[in-house]
Amino acid sequence: KGGINGKKIKVIYEDDENKPATATNAMQKLINNEGVVAIVGPTTSGCATAAGPIATSSKIPAISGTATSEPVTTKGGEYVFRGCF
């Protein structure tokens, strides 16, 4: 039937163009305008480091599957994760 535990999942995406400023704008849009409950991304360390604090301040978990830089998680806060290792 699809979904998780009976709830449908809708994927909403934004292109950060590999630019930290665009990534922060995209993160704010997804959280404030789209009402997302979780974020997969950003993909690069620079964008994830820039946008991570927005996820934490909004208490929205964000996980980057490819960001490798330690500051992604140390500066991003308790709601930001790296899944690359």
Side-chain angles (χ1 to χ4, degrees), residues 3 9 15 25 27-28 32 38 40 42 45 48 55 64 70-71 80-81:
I9 296 174
D15 181 3
N25 290 335
M27 182 82 72
Q28 289 172 336
N32 298 326
V40 177
S45 294
S64 175
E70 188 176 329
V80 181
F81 306 91

Side-chain angles (χ1 to χ4, degrees), residues 37-54:
V37 297
I39 294 175
V40 177
T43 57
T44 63
S45 294
C47 290
T49 300
I54 296 166

Side-chain angles (χ1 to χ4, degrees):
K1 295 182 180 182
I4 297 176
N5 293 329
K7 295 186 179 190
K8 296 289 182 182
I9 296 174
K10 180 180 178 182
V11 176
I12 303 169
Y13 63 91
E14 289 289 321
D15 181 3
D16 64 21
E17 302 172 357
N18 194 25
K19 298 176 185 172
T22 305
T24 58
N25 290 335
M27 182 82 72
Q28 289 172 336
K29 180 181 177 186
L30 289 169
I31 293 170
N32 298 326
N33 297 352
E34 300 293 344
V36 299
V37 297
I39 294 175
V40 177
T43 57
T44 63
S45 294
C47 290
T49 300
I54 296 166
T56 294
S57 69
S58 301
K59 297 184 178 180
I60 298 293
I63 183 166
S64 175
T66 53
T68 58
S69 179
E70 188 176 329
V72 170
T73 49
T74 59
K75 291 184 178 181
E78 62 183 317
Y79 283 80
V80 181
F81 306 91
R82 293 178 292 152
C84 58
F85 297 111

